[in-house]
Every structure is written in structure tokens, then in C-alpha cells.
Amino acid sequence: MAEMQNGERSILVVGGGMSGLSAALEAAEAGFQVFIVDKEAYLGGRVARMNKYFPKLCPPNCGLEINFRRIKNNPLIRFFTMTEVEKITGEAGNFDVTLKVAPRYVNAKCTGCGLCAEAATTEIANPFNYGLDTVKAAYLPHDFAFPMRYVIAPEVIGSEEASRIKAACPYGAVDLEMQPATFDLKVGAIVWATGWEPYEAAKIAYYGFGKNKNVITNVMMERLAAQNGPTAGKIVRPSDGAPVNKIAFVQCAGSRDENHLPYCSGICCLASLKQATYLLEENPAANATIFYIDIRALGKYEDFYTKVQADERVALIKGKAGEITENPETGMVTVQVEDQATGRILKDEFDLVVLATGMVPGSASCKVPADVAYDEHGFILGSQPVAGIIGAGCVRRPVDVATSVQDATAAALKAIQATFRR
Ligand SMILES: Cc1cc2nc3c(=O)[nH]c(=O)nc-3n(C[C@H](O)[C@H](O)[C@H](O)COP(=O)(O)OP(=O)(O)OC[C@H]3O[C@@H](n4cnc5c(N)ncnc54)[C@H](O)[C@@H]3O)c2cc1C
């Protein structure tokens, strides 16, 4: 693709999660040309993968759908999925950016009919569901994906199966010859909103994540509870599909720990309180135990905390969980913890244990290809050596959606100002 246009008055937004979408819409609705790029095959970020999100506990679609409609109706916004930034040169008001697009093997003629998936036989781990189930090698990223367009997994490219997938499409939408491509943009400012990644739970060896089947992470719990998740919303044990009657949440799994993530992500306590309600609503006879160091529920979230705390089916025990083991015969998971109120060592068995892992900035593993300043954990700093590259949302610090949206609005204003700099 050729260089697309003069950079004046145009803004690149990297990351199409809640922060990136908000920054893009604010800037475009103020009259600026905006380009959104996201490395995934769909927009919406981590929120798209939740079951419900606080404060209103609505499904992700209710917030995302409005943003997608605004994007569709705004001719000033263009977006590119499966795209990452390769190179940035220049300065505020005049950046040259090179973008790299991974092949999707499906073009814009796709109607989302699913005939390609019917023709596919290979199953791959479902990335949207954090590998809790599999999908066909021709797949829609998820039921409400935006754009609503299939992806062919690179694993089958070059095989007879790929030819069958192509032949099954009546619209000529499968393009097996697609190659990685690069294109250039000129923009006046860049909003970097690449969000967060879950801390790698397997690094906390004594919790046995990956070895113990009924030990999952909080992001997996969102998928397990979601109607469009691997079990159609039924919260069951991954080992055998048995119902969950007794669940434990282990707070600060790796967080506030010098050996892992020294900081508090601020959201995980609320996420576990929320996830306890997922189970209790589905199975009123169930009970939930939350092992915590301190419960962090700031501002208006205090009410949510006290409401969940008041439920007699919820036990909050102050104490950092030690070793977690699973009985291979029964699948029951034992959590050992020192109850700080009594000083006693507790050992209890659960059907399912959820590790409340913290949030790692997306900018830690994938740095901005420019002179950008980070804190010691990889979060992008507010003040930058190069004006016109502005961090927004969880790439700056772990926050909730409402705060991400506010931060993105501020980033949009800073980006608009930067476009006038030359
Ligand atoms: C378990 C859990 C539950 C939560 N529940 C809630 C809740 O109920 N309510 C609430 O308000 N908050 C909740 N949060 C916090 C919420 O997830 C964040 O506030 C929100 O995701 C922030 O949006 P973001 O756009 O900054 O980041 P993200 O959602 O992470 O979006 C970042 C986007 O950038 C893209 N990207 C990443 N790297 C690149 C790259 N190199 N190039 C191009 N694109 C890239 C990603 O694909 C993604 O689309 C929860 C957090 C956790 C851990």
C-alpha cells in the first residue's frame, strides 16, 4: 500500500481497546482524521473478552457496540486489524509511521456465513478463550467480532484443507495468497493505547497453574462465565465438566510481590468480588472464599464490596495463599493459607480456584519503536522526550474502564494539540 496522506490534522491510535476507541472517537468527532490499528483480528481489547463489567455489570457488548456504531458512521476513522507499528520517525505534527499487517487470508468480501469453518477440520486452541477450548482453523474471532470477518489460521496454509476452505466460500473471500504487507502513514500525533496483559500465572510455581487443571486465572474465569465462552456460560471444572459448588479466589497472585509484580493492579479485588457473584447467581447453593492481603475497592466501588461482603455465602479471609495442590483422583484443589485473624494455618478444598493475577502493561513486551520513556515496570510515562506520542489507559497504569475512557479523552486532546506543532 502506498503512503496514505499528509500528516497534518491526522492521528494514529495504536490499540483498539476501550482506551484506543475512546481516543479515536473523541479526536474524529472533533474533526480530525484518525487511523486505529490493532494487532488482533477484532477491536474491543480485553473488555470484549469479559462476561460483564462493573460498575453496571453489563455485558461488554453494551459499551462496545455503541463505539463500533460511531466508528462505522464516521468517515474520518479508518481502522486496520492484525496490524502493528514497525517504525516511527519524525516529530509532533509530522510523524512517518510504517505499519505491518499480518495476513488474515480472508478479504472484505467475507459475509460471516461460516461455510469456511464447516469445511475446516483442524482445531486450534481458541485464543479468544485463553485456550480453554478449541476452534476450527477457519474461525470468527468471537460471536460479536467487529469486524465480523473470519480468519484462517496460518497452521493450515499450504495444505489441502486450506484449498477445501477456499472452495467452500461462495463469495471469493478466502485469499490463500495473502502475504504480510507494510504501508506508511503520515500523522501529526500518535496515541499509544496497547493496554495490558495478564501476569503469567505459571511463573508462580507454588500455585501449580498449568499443572492443576482446576486452577485457572481471573481472565479465564471471565470466559468461563460468558454466554459466548467455552461452556456457554456454565461455570464448571475444566478437568471433568463437573458443576462448581465451592470456589476460591486467591488475591495478589504474583502482585505486591518483589519476585513477581511489585505493584498492586487495583482492579483484581473488584474482579474477584464480581466473579464470585457470577457463580452465586448461577448456582445459589454455591459458596465462595476470597483469600486476600487487603481488599482494594476505591471510591464508588466500596458499595459493591460491602454488598458482596454481606452475602453469607461469601467468606473473606485475610491471608496470603501458600501452596496449591490438586488431587488427581477427585480433581479437588487444596489451598493452604495462614489466616491472619487467628494465626492458624488453614487448608481447605475447592472445586475451582481462581488466581487473581495482575495487569502487565502491553508496552512491557512490545515497546514503542521510538524514543519513549517508561517507568520501572514498563508503563508509559506521562511526560515524554518526543512530544506527540501519548500513552492512554492501562498502558500508563492499571485502571478500570471508566478511568481508561477519561484518560483516553485527555490523550485525544493532547494529540490534537500536538498536530498543530509544526
Ligand atoms: C480480571 C479482570 C477483570 C476486569 N473487569 C473489569 C470490570 O468489570 N470493569 C472495569 O471497568 N474494568 C475491568 N477490568 C479492567 C479493564 O480490563 C481495563 O480497564 C480495560 O481493558 C482497559 O482498556 P485499554 O484499552 O487500556 O486496554 P486493553 O483492553 O488491553 O486494549 C488494548 C488493545 O491494544 C491492542 N494491542 C496490544 N498491543 C498492541 C500492539 N503492539 N500493536 C497494536 N495493537 C496492540 C490489543 O489487542 C487491545 O485491543 C478488569 C481487569 C481484569 C484483570
Side-chain angles (χ1 to χ4, degrees):
M1 270 183 257
E3 190 176 275
M4 294 193 67
Q5 67 140 50
N6 192 301
E8 259 181 277
R9 311 288 175 266
S10 66
I11 293 166
L12 171 67
V13 175
V14 186
M18 277 295 197
S19 303
L21 294 176
S22 306
L25 284 161
E26 295 292 354
E29 289 172 3
F32 288 73
Q33 169 81 58
V34 178
F35 304 99
I36 307 172
V37 300
D38 200 294
K39 67 175 182 174
E40 295 296 342
Y42 57 91
L43 301 184
R46 297 274 168 195
V47 171
R49 296 162 88 169
M50 286 183 183
N51 173 38
K52 294 179 189 168
Y53 69 108
F54 47 74
K56 290 191 184 157
L57 293 183
C58 46
N61 232 24
C62 72
L64 287 171
E65 190 59 41
I66 299 164
N67 285 337
F68 296 154
R69 206 173 321 129
R70 284 162 77 193
I71 288 177
K72 276 191 228 164
N73 293 338
N74 195 320
L76 287 175
I77 303 182
R78 293 190 64 186
F79 67 88
F80 305 91
T81 49
M82 300 183 76
T83 303
E84 290 184 65
V85 177
E86 202 169 65
K87 193 170 152 209
I88 300 172
T89 54
E91 61 203 350
N94 192 20
F95 287 109
D96 289 297
V97 185
T98 303
L99 297 148
K100 190 171 175 192
V101 192
R104 186 183 191 109
Y105 304 109
V106 176
N107 62 33
K109 292 181 197 159
C110 177
T111 63
C113 72
L115 289 171
C116 56
E118 282 175 29
T121 44
T122 300
E123 298 267 344
I124 57 159
N126 186 347
F128 192 74
N129 287 340
Y130 299 98
L132 280 167
D133 63 351
T134 59
V135 273
K136 291 279 191 68
Y139 64 98
L140 195 60
H142 65 97
D143 289 355
F144 308 107
F146 179 74
M148 183 65 75
R149 193 184 300 175
Y150 276 71
V151 182
I152 313 288
E155 287 88 330
V156 295
I157 296 301
S159 68
E160 275 183 27
E161 182 180 352
S163 308
R164 282 199 303 276
I165 291 170
K166 182 179 164 66
C169 176
Y171 307 100
V174 176
D175 177 357
L176 301 175
E177 307 307 318
M178 250 183 213
Q179 298 293 325
T182 57
F183 66 101
D184 298 324
L185 284 178
K186 269 190 181 296
V187 291
I190 299 167
V191 175
W192 202 269
T194 56
W196 60 278
E197 284 162 19
Y199 183 69
E200 229 179 286
K203 287 186 181 167
I204 320 156
Y206 47 92
Y207 286 163
F209 176 78
K211 198 174 69 186
N212 299 328
K213 288 193 178 131
N214 296 328
V215 176
I216 62 170
T217 63
N218 49 8
V219 288
M220 292 164 104
M221 180 63 182
E222 292 291 333
R223 298 310 308 141
L224 208 51
Q227 286 298 323
N228 66 343
T231 54
K234 272 249 150 273
I235 300 169
V236 293
R237 300 200 311 186
S239 68
D240 56 4
V244 173
N245 294 310
K246 220 175 148 194
I247 194 168
F249 295 88
V250 170
Q251 297 310 114
C252 296
S255 297
R256 302 173 71 195
D257 180 338
E258 287 303 324
N259 297 315
H260 296 283
L261 286 187
Y263 54 88
C264 165
S265 287
I267 299 291
C268 324
C269 289
L270 288 158
S272 294
L273 291 163
K274 173 183 72 167
Q275 293 178 352
T277 68
Y278 293 167
L279 179 66
L280 300 177
E281 273 168 25
E282 186 180 300
N283 177 2
N287 61 64
T289 304
I290 301 177
F291 296 109
Y292 67 96
I293 303 179
D294 299 293
I295 291 286
R296 303 254 160 104
L298 296 181
K300 58 183 188 286
Y301 292 128
E302 176 82 16
D303 288 348
F304 181 61
Y305 166 36
T306 46
K307 192 172 153 220
V308 179
Q309 192 183 28
D311 190 319
E312 57 191 18
R313 297 167 297 173
V314 178
L316 285 136
I317 295 179
K318 188 172 170 71
K320 184 158 168 57
E323 208 187 7
I324 298 179
T325 50
E326 185 172 309
N327 181 327
E329 265 136 50
T330 62
M332 294 301 285
V333 185
T334 300
V335 179
Q336 182 173 311
V337 66
E338 184 186 338
D339 183 339
Q340 287 193 12
T342 61
R344 283 175 35 228
I345 300 290
L346 303 179
K347 264 190 179 185
D348 204 353
E349 274 194 339
F350 301 90
D351 294 301
L352 185 67
V353 172
V354 180
L355 302 178
T357 50
M359 297 155 84
V360 181
S363 51
S365 58
C366 185
K367 300 239 178 276
V368 187
D371 185 14
V372 163
Y374 306 88
D375 73 6
E376 69 271 39
H377 311 299
F379 289 101
I380 292 181
L381 291 175
S383 173
Q384 289 298 327
V386 178
I389 301 182
I390 303 124
C394 285
V395 82
R396 294 213 312 119
R397 64 200 165 99
V399 282
D400 63 350
V401 171
T403 313
S404 299
V405 170
Q406 283 165 9
D407 196 48
T409 305
L413 177 59
K414 286 184 196 156
I416 287 170
Q417 289 167 342
T419 64
F420 290 102
R421 271 201 169 224
R422 57 190 222 154

